[in-house]
């Protein structure tokens, strides 16, 4: 009897040791399985606005990983759409992400790669530049691109008294650029005395905008106002106007509230700069934070989150001036 009990006790002890060992081995795997890994795919800092995007994305990584020890945020920057598509594959297969926050380099080129990521069970938040097929995403966060186009058009039309020649510069061929341009045109339809001479892509880049503006200045002897749908492009536009010594242009309206442009507006140091419209790159920080904290709780974001864009004038410019920001 004692021998039988001793044997049973040994088997029980061995079984307990085995179970403990199994739990010890399973622990890290279970922890890994429950870990929230957020991949962040953004354009590299090729101009001021994307410089702000990169800054705020890394700021989010720093703040969120400190606040949530089980959270990992992996930030990838890309110089073009093919590179960004390749990075998505690496984020899924190598980094094992379970959530993605992407600021697409281009809309059409990234739609299928993002859809493939979502098909693998990864939660997808698209920021700013939308996809051409919204079924490829779970959530969308952006500034108010309609207001971003309407506000400059209304300001320019009123500043010109409803009559004059206007040229425009578009960004990169994306859904948000289409939204802005459509909104701009919808306002001008109410002002038949305003003629839009041309609207070319300048890629949200000051050098490209400089070249496009040189072309406009050569082709059009009378230009009353310029809508450069980004402050970097507005810088290139101002340089071209200065070099050409043209005096017919009364107004250059940029956008997004770059600190240099807001300072110029606040100081009144350039009469061509009279207003701006808000569109801060900090929304990438908010998008990463919202996504990460929702996924930690097992929750989803609303399908659409729109951050308002508002008119900035000399009177309220101080509220939009952030000297420590890179943008």
């Amino acid at each position: 009897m004692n021998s039988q009990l001793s044997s049973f006790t040994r088997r029980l002890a061995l079984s307990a040791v085995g179970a403990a060992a199994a739990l010890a081995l399973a622990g890290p795997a279970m922890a890994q399985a429950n870990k929230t890994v957020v991949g962040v795919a953004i354009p590299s800092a090729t101009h001021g606005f994307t410089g702000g995007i990169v800054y705020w994305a890394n700021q989010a990584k720093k703040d969120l990983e400190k606040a949530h020890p089980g959270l990992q945020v992996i930030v990838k920057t890309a110089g073009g759409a093919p590179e960004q598509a390749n990075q998505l594959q690496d984020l899924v297969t190598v980094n094992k992400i379970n959530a993605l926050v992407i600021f697409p380099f281009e809309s059409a080129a990234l739609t299928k790669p993002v859809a493939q990521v979502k098909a693998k069970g990864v939660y997808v938040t698209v920021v700013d530049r939308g996809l051409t097929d919204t079924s490829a995403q779970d959530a969308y966060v952006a500034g108010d691109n309609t207001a971003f186009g309407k506000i400059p058009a209304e300001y320019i039309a009123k500043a010109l008294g409803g009559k004059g020649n206007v040229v425009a510069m578009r960004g990169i061929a994306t859904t948000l650029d289409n939204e802005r341009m459509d909104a701009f045109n919808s306002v001008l339809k109410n002002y038949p005395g305003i003629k839009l001479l041309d609207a070319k892509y300048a890629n949200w880049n000051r050098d490209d905008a400089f070249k496009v503006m040189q072309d406009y200045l050569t082709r059009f002897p009378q230009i009353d106002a310029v809508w450069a749908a980004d402050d970097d492009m507005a810088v290139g536009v101002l340089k071209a106007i200065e070099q050409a010594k043209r005096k017919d242009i009364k107004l250059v309206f940029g956008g997004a509230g770059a600190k240099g442009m807001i300072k110029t507006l606040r100081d009144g140091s350039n009469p061509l700069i009279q207003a701006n419209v808000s569109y801060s790159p900090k929304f990438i920080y908010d998008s990463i934070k919202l996504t990460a904290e929702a996924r930690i709780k097992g929750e989803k974001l609303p399908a659409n989150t729109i951050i308002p864009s508002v008119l900035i004038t000399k009177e309220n410019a101080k509220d939009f001036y952030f000297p420590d920001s890179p943008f």
Side-chain angles (χ1 to χ4, degrees):
M1 184 67 179
N2 288 339
S3 174
Q4 287 177 341
L5 281 173
S6 178
S7 176
F8 176 76
T9 302
R10 284 198 300 272
R11 289 200 303 273
L12 190 61
L14 288 171
S15 179
V17 170
L23 282 172
L25 290 171
M30 290 173 65
Q32 180 66 29
N34 293 329
K35 187 175 181 180
T36 299
V37 183
V38 179
V40 178
I42 54 178
S44 52
T46 55
H47 62 285
F49 188 79
T50 49
I53 291 290
V54 173
Y55 170 82
W56 285 113
N58 283 300
Q59 195 65 36
K61 170 182 171 64
K62 177 183 172 184
D63 292 350
L64 290 170
E65 287 185 344
K66 182 178 180 182
H68 304 283
L71 172 68
Q72 183 181 10
V73 178
I74 301 165
V75 178
K76 299 276 190 181
T77 62
E83 183 183 3
Q84 193 171 47
N86 289 334
Q87 288 176 347
L88 295 185
Q89 293 183 9
D90 288 344
L91 285 168
V92 174
T93 59
V94 178
N95 302 112
K96 311 293 184 186
I97 62 169
N98 42 40
L100 171 69
V101 178
I102 180 168
F103 186 114
F105 203 96
E106 294 178 15
S107 298
L110 269 301
T111 296
K112 185 175 180 181
V114 172
Q116 290 171 337
V117 171
K118 184 169 182 274
K120 294 181 183 298
V122 175
Y123 185 87
V124 175
T125 298
V126 173
V127 184
D128 193 50
R129 302 175 189 173
L131 303 175
T132 54
D133 179 2
T134 55
S135 68
Q137 69 198 29
D138 292 287
Y140 177 65
V141 180
D144 189 342
N145 289 296
T146 298
F148 192 93
K150 279 188 174 181
I151 288 172
E154 289 168 347
Y155 189 92
I156 289 170
K158 291 176 182 174
L160 297 182
K163 185 178 180 181
N165 293 333
V166 176
V167 293
M169 287 186 198
R170 308 184 63 167
I172 293 174
T174 53
T175 56
L176 79 84
D177 183 77
N178 292 337
E179 290 174 24
R180 293 173 176 183
M181 195 70 226
D182 290 346
F184 188 83
N185 284 327
S186 71
V187 172
L188 291 194
K189 286 179 181 176
N190 301 323
Y191 296 90
I194 300 287
K195 184 177 182 181
L196 180 61
L197 299 173
D198 203 351
K200 282 189 169 182
Y201 290 106
N203 306 312
W204 292 310
N205 180 288
R206 66 180 62 181
D207 293 335
D208 291 353
F210 176 76
K211 294 173 185 173
V212 172
M213 192 64 206
Q214 282 186 317
D215 173 61
Y216 286 161
L217 291 169
T218 301
R219 291 165 53 204
F220 304 118
Q222 178 66 41
I223 300 172
D224 297 290
V226 183
W227 177 45
D230 178 83
D231 285 333
D232 269 314
M233 293 197 295
V235 171
V237 167
L238 291 170
K239 184 178 179 182
I241 294 171
E242 182 183 1
Q243 283 194 3
K245 302 185 187 304
R246 288 278 290 262
K247 303 298 183 185
D248 49 316
I249 299 159
K250 306 174 183 68
L251 170 62
V252 175
F253 200 117
K259 66 178 181 182
M261 199 61 72
I262 297 301
K263 187 174 189 308
T264 299
L265 175 60
R266 189 187 65 175
D267 296 345
S269 56
N270 188 331
L272 293 179
I273 304 301
Q274 301 168 17
N276 205 285
V277 59
S278 65
Y279 202 93
S280 172
K282 185 177 179 293
F283 58 53
I284 191 72
Y285 180 103
D286 299 328
S287 304
I288 297 168
K289 185 174 189 293
L290 288 169
T291 302
E293 293 184 342
R295 298 316 295 163
I296 289 170
K297 297 175 185 174
E299 297 174 352
K300 296 182 178 180
L301 300 182
N304 291 286
T305 301
I306 302 300
I307 300 168
S309 293
V310 300
L311 178 68
I312 306 172
T313 63
K314 186 174 182 179
E315 286 68 33
N316 66 351
K318 62 179 175 47
D319 298 331
F320 297 89
Y321 182 57
F322 307 107
D324 294 334
S325 167
F327 178 72

